[in-house]
Amino acid sequence: MADASYSPRRHFAAAGALEAKLAALCQIAEEKPVDPRIRDWAMRHLALDGPALEAWGARAWWGVAAGELLRHYLYDRTRRDEALALLRHADWSLVDAALAEGGVILAAAHLGPPKFAMNALIARYARPMILTNTDDMPDWLPDISGPLLNPLVPENRARIMLSGALHLRAGGLLFGAPDGGFSSSQLVIEAFNKPWPFSPGLSALARMMGRPAFTLLALWDGTGITLRTEPIVTPPSDLPAEAWDRSWIWSHWTALEPVIRNSPENLRSFIPVFRPEFER
Amino acid sequence: MSFPLTETRPPMGERDAIFQAVLGHLSERTGISRSAIREETALGQDGLGLDSIGCLELLLAIEQGCGLRLRNEDLTGDPFASVGSLVDYVIAQTHG
């Protein structure tokens, strides 16, 4: 049991500033024994052991708990700004420059606090098109966002590809996270002793519409958040479609790999493991 | 607007012309004969087997072949539900 006593919902409702709550979580994380599921992942995929694993495990649990706490702030319309105020560094200049020339793809990843990059994007740009799981979204979010399209519903995907293509053609921003491979076809990268599936939908849009793309990551940096934008290298146009998509995904992956290797607090993939306990 | 029609084809209405153009692209892409494809044939797994990327590739090829310029990103209905709905979408875009 990781921490039956920790409830992000109660922590959100408690008095105090968000930053102070995040700092308090550091204390809890350091005092807890490393959860066996986190320990197992670190041993199998990063070959960690000993004190390094203990420190890594504490950071990983903190990231899970902090991410779930932050989600409550982001999903509360009256307190959303407290979460967004954690954004310390955000350099949008590369995106702005590309956007001046036409549509731009922003490839996110399931790293860092959940939904933060999406919300930072909504706060910065008018009507970006966002591909995301809309099942747990607050009902007021569409009032302030651009279109929110759910690619997890298979019947939606062809329409989403068309809407995305025309949005790019109209000079818009298209945001989605290709990692996770939530599509019928997948491109898989083998790394850290495990497969990492990716959906080729965004790369196919970049290829077919001839538009530039950036990896966009919102990552924990202490108890603040830093936004990273890194260009995805456009593959040569004479590559066959699948090789082109694979090359594009690989370029995206090169921005993710060091985060996975060095930054356990940003490994959001642990969140579904802990959420049932946190929500009790 | 131009359509890739042969000279031996009889004169047709706009919808027939676009339907024939769509049939040509579908047949070329899937290897299924034109005669086996009908208005109600599904494009996805229950029919011609196109995935979401294949559907977009098809539509962009139709756009190029027909000299169209698709614009409206706000979709009503599903253009990819069937061959007929795709034809209707292309026609709507033509007049949009």
Side-chain angles (χ1 to χ4, degrees):
Chain A
M1 179 69 235
D3 185 4
S5 65
Y6 183 67
S7 163
R9 192 187 311 275
R10 284 199 302 271
H11 206 183
F12 165 69
L18 174 56
E19 286 232 47
K21 294 177 183 178
L22 293 171
L25 268 180
C26 290
Q27 183 77 24
I28 297 173
E30 286 168 9
E31 292 172 355
K32 289 169 51 61
V34 175
D35 184 272
R37 293 160 293 187
I38 289 179
R39 179 183 298 277
D40 180 63
W41 199 96
M43 292 171 68
R44 283 195 290 131
H45 302 303
L46 295 173
L48 291 176
D49 59 13
L53 190 152
E54 301 303 316
W56 190 96
R59 289 170 62 188
W61 185 88
W62 181 87
V64 171
E68 286 302 90
L69 174 62
L70 197 65
R71 181 198 294 267
H72 284 279
Y73 281 83
L74 287 171
Y75 282 15
D76 185 308
R77 194 166 192 172
T78 64
R79 304 188 71 179
R80 178 171 171 271
D81 286 347
E82 292 178 63
L84 292 174
L86 295 178
L87 189 56
R88 300 280 188 267
H89 304 287
D91 182 357
W92 296 100
S93 59
L94 291 175
V95 176
D96 288 342
L99 204 51
E101 305 291 323
V104 174
I105 293 170
L106 297 176
H110 291 82
L111 294 170
K115 307 297 183 187
F116 193 92
M118 179 188 86
N119 276 282
L121 188 70
I122 290 170
R124 176 67 173 74
Y125 293 99
R127 297 191 60 77
M129 180 174 282
I130 291 170
L131 313 185
T132 187
N133 178 5
T134 57
D135 290 347
D136 66 346
M137 293 283 173
D139 55 10
W140 49 263
L141 192 62
D143 298 343
I144 61 170
S145 73
L148 300 167
L149 308 178
N150 190 348
L152 301 189
V153 180
E155 308 84 66
N156 287 354
R157 289 176 188 149
R159 273 177 293 170
I160 287 174
M161 288 293 287
L162 174 56
S163 292
L166 298 184
H167 188 70
L168 289 170
R169 180 176 282 174
L173 267 175
L174 179 64
F175 171 95
D179 61 329
F182 303 111
S183 58
S184 54
S185 59
Q186 297 181 349
L187 295 173
V188 178
I189 287 176
E190 294 286 340
F192 300 112
N193 197 30
K194 73 184 290 290
W196 300 79
F198 287 80
S199 164
L202 278 188
S203 57
L205 281 170
R207 171 170 50 81
M208 286 190 269
M209 305 311 291
R211 298 311 310 158
F214 298 86
T215 297
L216 178 72
L217 300 176
L219 300 174
W220 287 115
D221 184 4
T223 54
I225 295 170
T226 291
L227 207 73
R228 291 189 194 168
T229 54
E230 299 190 26
I232 293 176
V233 176
T234 302
S237 58
D238 58 351
L239 280 181
E242 185 178 341
W244 198 101
D245 290 347
R246 184 168 289 280
S247 176
W248 190 97
I249 292 288
W250 179 259
S251 178
H252 174 55
W253 167 258
T254 59
L256 314 187
E257 191 270 351
V259 178
I260 295 166
R261 182 181 300 283
N262 302 316
S263 182
E265 59 273 23
N266 286 305
L267 290 178
R268 194 197 303 174
S269 58
F270 289 129
I271 285 181
V273 175
F274 285 93
R275 187 169 289 154
E277 298 166 14
F278 284 169
E279 290 183 348
R280 271 207 291 261
Chain B
M1 185 167 67
S2 63
F3 298 110
L5 306 179
T6 64
E7 290 183 358
T8 55
R9 193 164 293 146
M12 350 175 158
E14 180 186 37
R15 193 172 200 292
D16 285 337
I18 291 178
F19 179 62
Q20 292 302 325
V22 169
L23 278 188
H25 284 286
L26 276 172
S27 180
E28 181 182 324
R29 194 163 290 270
T30 64
I32 297 171
S33 73
R34 298 168 70 114
S35 60
I37 303 173
R38 309 192 178 286
E39 288 250 4
E40 61 272 22
T41 302
L43 295 179
Q45 297 308 313
D46 295 336
L48 299 174
L50 294 179
D51 64 10
S52 58
I53 295 173
C55 284
L56 181 59
E57 286 174 339
L58 168 70
L59 188 52
L60 293 178
I62 292 168
E63 177 189 47
Q64 188 172 28
C66 294
L68 298 170
R69 182 75 172 168
L70 306 176
R71 285 189 178 84
N72 188 358
E73 67 192 63
D74 297 322
L75 304 178
T76 54
D78 183 359
F80 302 110
S82 67
V83 174
S85 60
L86 184 62
V87 171
D88 290 338
Y89 172 75
V90 172
I91 290 171
Q93 289 282 315
T94 305
H95 297 287

